[in-house]
Amino acid sequence: MTDSPRREWLERLPKVELHVHLEGSLSPTTVTHLSERHEVDTTEIWPDGIPEAFSFVDFPDFARQYIFGLGLIRTGEDLVDVVVGLGEDLLGHGVRYAEATTTAYTHLTGALSPADYRAALDEGRRRVSAMGVELGWVIDIPRDLETPESTTTTDLLAGPDAPAGTVAIGLGGYEVPFPAGWFAEQFGRAKALGLASVPHAGETVGPESVRSALDDLGADRLGHGVRSIEDGALVAELAERQVMLEVCPTSNLLLGVVDDLAAHPLRPLLDAGVNVCVNTDDPGWFATDLTNELVVASEHLGVTAAEHVAMQRAAVDASFMPDALRSELRAELDAVALP
């Protein structure tokens, strides 16, 4: 799929994105804008100046830069700008609906009150909806920042300041020393509120992370989950249960989950009957977009046009979008002509 017509077909394809971080949509341009707005010295992180494209040695190095970027979102106006910027990017690549993950804890322990956080997300979501893109929110717990004893995230979800359109609780951050099971109580509380469970698992830790997310957190979907491929029985179970894996190829390459794209587990997972969809993860930090990720899946992993349409249908079905929009997108995908 190197030819321009095929890329254009992928760009026009009606799309759903289930794994994109709001704060991960910050591009070098946005980081520059926010740092100038707040007169922040960025040389501690980038001694030679903010780069044209971010780069990382490993996941901790990525997290260090990412957290710095988070600290630049200091006002409701900043947050609205970030939401609108994400919406514009999604619209430009044919995304009709996205479930964007946002890390409330970092804002609520920083500069924003719960009411300001909610108001900014509500306003940003309203503006993005007016563009023609609908957003649902996944409010995630950053496992490497928020302790298992903390109730900051779940208090927000249970209270009057839960943002409109919140559909799920997530679990992000570095998996290695922070197992999913530690957060079972918070996930149980969120599920009792009627929210879905969509934790990250099987990214920087192997199949045991996926197993814990399923058993301890009652995962409805899994962020990443690609290291499930290391356990054949687990792969078979995921296929039987049709648990959606939100796969992010470029992210996995840049953060060292895979050494090269040709070795990415998406193809064998798809061939094993596992429900997978392609996503961007942190498009601003990884200099990617959903069209590019679909092209990567085609060029490096042999995903066909028919499989792209099927994965979009599966993503629609695995989403928590309103039923009317689900019916509309199913009909649009059924009408897609293959190239």
Side-chain angles (χ1 to χ4, degrees):
M1 272 199 185
T2 57
D3 57 302
S4 177
R6 189 61 61 87
R7 178 182 285 270
E8 291 172 2
W9 180 84
L10 286 170
E11 192 167 89
R12 293 193 307 271
L13 180 68
K15 301 178 195 63
V16 167
E17 177 148 27
L18 301 182
H19 193 116
V20 56
H21 291 263
L22 174 63
E23 296 83 4
S25 67
L26 271 68
S27 65
T29 300
T30 306
V31 169
T32 299
H33 170 67
L34 292 177
S35 63
E36 290 175 349
R37 174 183 282 178
H38 299 300
E39 299 181 341
V40 174
D41 181 7
T42 62
T43 57
E44 174 189 352
I45 303 297
W46 301 287
D48 298 323
I50 298 171
E52 292 185 4
F54 298 118
S55 61
F56 323 100
V57 175
D58 52 22
F59 191 98
D61 182 42
F62 162 69
R64 181 178 66 94
Q65 297 182 49
Y66 186 94
I67 290 169
F68 182 86
L70 276 176
L72 298 174
I73 304 172
R74 301 183 175 187
T75 68
E77 179 187 11
D78 295 341
L79 192 54
V80 171
D81 287 350
V82 174
V83 176
V84 172
L86 172 61
E88 290 171 344
D89 291 342
L90 293 169
L91 180 66
H93 291 277
V95 179
R96 297 285 307 285
Y97 173 83
E99 288 176 0
T101 295
T102 173
T103 307
Y105 180 83
T106 56
H107 300 293
L108 302 184
T109 56
L112 298 180
S113 69
D116 288 341
Y117 176 71
R118 181 205 68 231
L121 291 188
D122 287 355
E123 174 62 14
R125 181 171 177 262
R126 183 192 66 77
R127 294 189 194 181
V128 171
S129 178
M131 299 176 191
V133 179
E134 299 301 324
L135 293 176
W137 299 119
V138 176
I139 310 293
D140 77 331
I141 294 173
R143 65 175 100 206
D144 44 358
L145 297 175
E146 186 172 3
T147 68
E149 295 75 30
S150 169
T151 62
T152 299
T153 297
T154 51
D155 283 349
L156 175 79
L157 293 172
D161 292 315
T166 300
V167 297
I169 183 172
L171 183 66
Y174 197 38
E175 292 174 80
V176 174
F178 307 102
W182 286 3
F183 300 91
E185 185 174 341
Q186 287 95 323
F187 271 69
R189 185 181 180 194
K191 293 201 80 168
L193 295 169
L195 298 174
S197 167
V198 293
H200 288 49
E203 180 187 14
T204 52
V205 173
E208 66 273 21
S209 171
V210 173
R211 173 54 58 199
S212 179
L214 292 170
D215 294 347
D216 299 326
L217 304 185
D220 298 293
R221 287 196 322 249
L222 291 168
H224 299 289
V226 290
R227 292 190 59 186
S228 303
I229 200 66
E230 299 167 20
D231 183 334
L234 178 59
V235 169
E237 180 179 341
L238 291 170
E240 180 180 0
R241 294 173 55 179
Q242 287 294 281
V243 176
M244 173 61 76
L245 304 188
E246 307 156 358
V247 176
C248 310
T250 294
S251 169
N252 293 159
L253 177 67
L254 293 179
L255 298 183
V257 177
V258 296
D259 293 330
D260 65 80
L261 286 170
H264 195 281
L266 185 149
R267 182 76 256 174
L269 286 167
L270 194 61
D271 290 342
V274 177
N275 230 5
V276 301
C277 63
V278 176
N279 305 269
T280 61
D281 200 8
D282 300 294
W285 294 95
F286 299 149
T288 192
D289 54 63
L290 194 52
T291 300
N292 182 66
E293 293 304 299
L294 299 184
V295 170
V296 165
S298 298
E299 293 183 346
H300 296 275
L301 302 168
V303 175
T304 67
E307 287 174 327
H308 277 301
V309 174
M311 283 195 289
Q312 289 303 321
R313 286 197 191 100
V316 168
D317 291 343
S319 76
F320 308 111
M321 68 177 66
D323 288 341
L325 180 58
R326 192 188 315 277
S327 297
E328 181 180 331
L329 286 175
R330 282 173 175 164
E332 288 186 23
L333 288 165
D334 286 344
V336 166
L338 298 179

